[in-house]
Amino acid sequence: MTATQTLEKQIARFAPVEIAVPDGALAGAELDVLKHIIQAAQAMDTLFMEQVWTGNPALFAKLSSDTSPEGRARRHYFVINKGPWSRLDHNQTFLPAEFGVPEKPGQANYYPADATKEEVDVWIGSLKGEAKAQATGFFTVIRRDAGRKLIAVPYSVEYKDKLAPAAEHLRQAAALTAQPTLRKFLELRAKAFQTNDYFDSDMAWMELDAPIEPTIGPYETYEDEWFGYKAAFEAFVTLRDDAETKKLGVFGSHLQGLENALPIDPKFRNPKLGALAPIRVVNVIFTAGDGNRGVQTAAFNLPNDDRVISQKGSKRVMLKNVQEAKFQKVLVPISGVALNATDRSKVSFEAFFTHILMHELMHGLGPHQIQGGTAVRLALKDTYSALEEAKADISGLWALQQLADQGVVSTQIAETMYTTFLASSFRSIRFGITEAHGKGIALQLNYLLDKGGFTVNADGTFGVDNTKIKDAVAGLTRELMTLQATGDYAGAQAMLKSMVVIRPEVQRVLDKLTSVPVDIEPNFVTARKLLER
Ligand code: ZN
């Protein structure tokens, strides 16, 4: 295989897909407002690329000037990864040695390229008060002054040339919109780009109530592999999905009833559920920066500023059309390999997405404290996250069955949700079983196989046994919630140890999935149309 063919194969793991909203959805939106927000969002791509590695801007220019098929493939994969390292392949570079690409720097471009982690750590340790807050803050980079001493430089200074035009587009959008909460957010976010104080605009983002729901600015800290302090620029330009939002409202009104019926000892049920954290269902028009690299973001929880969270909570945003694209391009092909012919026809996006919504809601149900008031999180320590993710999944299925029995959820969802969940398990497990979601999925898959709810056919495909699946789902819901209610750390450890494995029958299916895409590469057709206006 030639180098270009190898590269094309790496790229093919991301299935190209058009990300659009139906024309009808745009009717209520303000098109020129959207256009300016998209233009501001485009700056987040450039900013993020600069944050990933100091060598990125020059390398990107070099790759862009090579119009040979090989050059175009390199540029293409660079854009997917926002740098010369393949994020799906443990950040190995995909460029040949002559490009002189180093290993992906753990400090990104947040700390000086010639600094060591120890040097920065010692320096931060020597600081106090406001100086320390600045050095460890979300919105500063660490640089050297003329005397080579480390200093904290605000984003508003470091990235001034790119933030100023972005702020200008946000102001123009603010001037054009008729939506007061949107105007407030856009104005305050534009101001934050120049003052470096994001608090007021984060608060305004929590109060957004408009058809256009933009998220733009520095947010997640994953790219800072040294300390996790520094926020990466990203943007999600989206439209609120009112039909799904209404569905959430309906589910919300049934949550206490579900809690009261949980298949656990009644003394573990919560007689009075707290207020719901806000959830927004949106459709993406454009994403950029940290929100559009490697595997695509399908949902996020923001902001990360503890001061905002303590006053306003945080908001969960679900990107419906992105989830649908992943469903069509990844989940459907997986079900073609993993499921038998009968079950394959019972895989539906409706069930897939409704279960994801229910998963989010179910995080709020079930035991959160053990007797005596200790938080379950503290009692279950390192086992907590995997168990909590598995709980939200499995009790989500249990809850949907309850709602289907009451006629709240359509029978179509009830008839397809177990098969859809089975296919979706294979999608998740492909990403590995080292983090909480993967562990939770392995646990559920193996439990449901042991209880006969899921079955393995003679040809190696998987199926659902409708006579056993309901009891198996209720049984696992009970076991997980009881471990949580009693804070049974040893029991949780034992369960994870025996159940978080990839069994041979599962591995055999995974081995057959090598040519199925891992994720999607979005082509923002609606955004392009708007930009051409
Ligand atoms: Zn979750």
Side-chain angles (χ1 to χ4, degrees):
M1 211 185 298
T2 68
T4 308
Q5 283 170 325
T6 308
L7 196 49
E8 296 289 359
K9 226 179 140 184
Q10 285 182 295
I11 293 170
R13 291 177 298 177
F14 296 89
V17 63
E18 294 194 344
I19 294 292
V21 299
D23 288 344
L26 276 177
E30 304 164 284
L31 303 187
D32 288 323
V33 176
L34 268 173
K35 182 177 172 177
H36 280 298
I37 298 174
I38 294 167
Q39 284 172 308
Q42 286 177 313
M44 303 301 119
D45 267 336
T46 321
L47 281 163
F48 177 66
M49 242 168 357
E50 196 178 323
Q51 288 183 308
V52 170
W53 178 43
T54 172
N56 258 350
L59 178 57
F60 184 58
K62 186 176 173 183
L63 293 176
S64 300
S65 69
D66 180 354
T67 54
S68 70
E70 193 170 42
R72 284 208 304 269
R74 286 172 182 159
R75 184 186 189 279
H76 185 177
Y77 204 42
F78 183 100
V79 169
I80 288 177
N81 287 287
K82 302 288 185 287
W85 302 279
S86 176
R87 292 174 185 268
L88 274 187
D89 304 295
H90 311 287
N91 289 325
Q92 275 183 19
T93 185
F94 52 87
L95 292 177
E98 76 239 34
F99 282 87
V101 172
E103 270 188 37
K104 188 170 189 288
Q107 78 262 47
N109 190 13
Y110 296 128
Y111 306 92
D114 65 358
T116 63
K117 188 178 172 187
E118 288 65 34
E119 181 191 4
V120 175
D121 211 12
V122 168
W123 173 68
I124 289 173
S126 75
L127 300 172
K128 288 191 179 62
E130 182 55 22
K132 185 166 196 159
Q134 283 297 319
T136 58
F138 286 126
F139 314 122
T140 61
V141 290
I142 307 306
R143 296 292 180 247
R144 292 191 192 280
D145 66 11
R148 294 195 43 80
K149 270 182 61 189
L150 295 171
I151 49 163
V153 178
Y155 281 8
S156 55
V157 175
E158 177 76 9
Y159 303 120
K160 189 174 182 200
D161 58 328
K162 292 173 188 85
L163 286 174
E168 188 47 36
H169 279 299
L170 294 185
R171 283 205 188 90
Q172 292 188 36
L176 290 169
T177 183
Q179 297 289 332
T181 61
L182 179 61
R183 186 182 318 121
K184 188 175 176 195
F185 168 69
L186 294 171
E187 278 170 357
L188 288 173
R189 187 48 48 123
K191 194 173 157 203
F193 282 168
Q194 276 150 337
T195 61
N196 217 44
D197 182 353
Y198 286 83
F199 179 79
D200 291 341
S201 52
D202 273 345
M203 297 285 277
W205 184 80
M206 287 300 297
E207 290 163 1
L208 261 181
D209 182 14
I212 301 173
E213 171 101 14
T215 302
I216 180 169
Y219 287 104
E220 307 285 6
T221 59
Y222 305 114
E223 209 65 21
D224 175 1
E225 290 172 34
W226 273 7
F227 302 105
Y229 291 150
K230 305 302 172 193
F233 283 99
E234 65 180 351
F236 298 89
V237 184
T238 72
L239 292 185
R240 192 170 63 188
D241 186 318
D242 288 326
E244 291 295 336
T245 305
K246 208 172 137 202
K247 187 152 93 186
L248 271 168
V250 173
F251 288 176
S253 68
H254 286 84
L255 291 181
Q256 187 67 57
L258 288 168
E259 175 78 26
N260 298 345
L262 284 175
I264 52 176
D265 189 324
K267 70 173 188 251
F268 295 146
R269 296 175 189 149
N270 182 353
K272 194 167 185 334
L273 291 174
L276 259 183
I279 300 179
R280 282 271 190 283
V281 178
V282 302
N283 287 302
V284 161
I285 292 181
F286 187 72
T287 67
D290 196 31
N292 179 10
R293 50 141 179 98
V295 172
Q296 293 292 306
T297 303
F300 56 85
N301 217 11
L302 287 173
N304 290 324
D305 184 341
D306 289 326
R307 294 172 307 160
V308 182
I309 294 171
S310 66
Q311 289 184 41
K312 285 256 169 222
S314 62
K315 180 164 67 178
R316 181 94 178 143
V317 181
M318 322 268 297
L319 312 178
K320 188 183 173 201
N321 57 347
V322 171
Q323 310 245 19
E324 183 155 23
K326 288 180 189 244
F327 175 86
Q328 294 298 347
K329 296 290 178 181
V330 183
L331 198 66
V332 171
I334 284 178
S335 67
V337 174
L339 306 186
N340 63 40
T342 335
D343 281 321
R344 219 172 287 161
S345 65
K346 287 191 258 166
V347 172
S348 78
F349 176 68
E350 185 76 356
F352 177 71
F353 191 71
T354 309
H355 179 248
I356 294 172
L357 287 183
M358 199 42 96
H359 170 113
E360 295 304 330
L361 294 171
M362 292 311 286
H363 275 308
L365 274 65
H368 288 90
Q369 292 189 338
I370 61 173
Q371 213 145 34
T374 307
V376 172
R377 181 186 292 277
L378 296 178
L380 294 186
K381 294 179 257 189
D382 55 302
T383 66
Y384 172 77
S385 296
L387 241 61
E388 176 62 22
E389 289 310 325
K391 172 208 104 173
D393 271 342
I394 202 75
S395 67
L397 286 176
W398 171 86
L400 285 178
Q401 184 65 59
Q402 301 288 306
L403 295 180
D405 293 346
Q406 295 165 31
V408 178
V409 163
S410 75
T411 49
Q412 193 258 346
I413 287 179
E415 281 162 9
T416 52
M417 66 185 184
Y418 298 115
T419 320
T420 304
F421 181 70
L422 172 56
S424 143
S425 302
F426 283 100
R427 186 184 84 91
S428 308
I429 230 165
R430 280 174 99 193
F431 292 113
I433 55 169
T434 52
E435 55 72 63
H437 283 89
K439 283 181 189 172
I441 288 287
L443 187 167
Q444 295 171 83
L445 188 54
N446 292 331
Y447 184 100
L448 296 175
L449 281 167
D450 287 346
K451 298 292 173 188
F454 290 161
T455 55
V456 187
N457 305 303
D459 64 357
T461 60
F462 281 57
V464 174
D465 183 339
N466 283 316
T467 65
K468 293 188 177 148
I469 188 70
K470 288 183 203 175
D471 285 344
V473 164
L476 183 54
T477 302
R478 177 167 47 248
E479 286 197 33
L480 291 174
M481 286 192 180
T482 303
L483 286 170
Q484 292 184 320
T486 54
D488 183 356
Y489 180 57
Q493 278 182 311
M495 181 171 222
L496 291 180
K497 188 157 186 273
S498 64
M499 299 303 257
V500 178
V501 288
I502 294 186
R503 294 183 181 170
E505 59 268 40
V506 174
Q507 187 60 50
R508 276 194 285 277
V509 172
L510 294 178
D511 290 342
K512 285 190 234 162
L513 295 177
T514 45
S515 62
V516 174
V518 174
D519 200 56
I520 54 164
E521 181 190 2
N523 172 12
F524 300 110
V525 290
T526 302
R528 190 158 310 144
K529 260 193 258 169
L530 286 164
L531 288 170
E532 282 163 8
R533 271 169 61 83

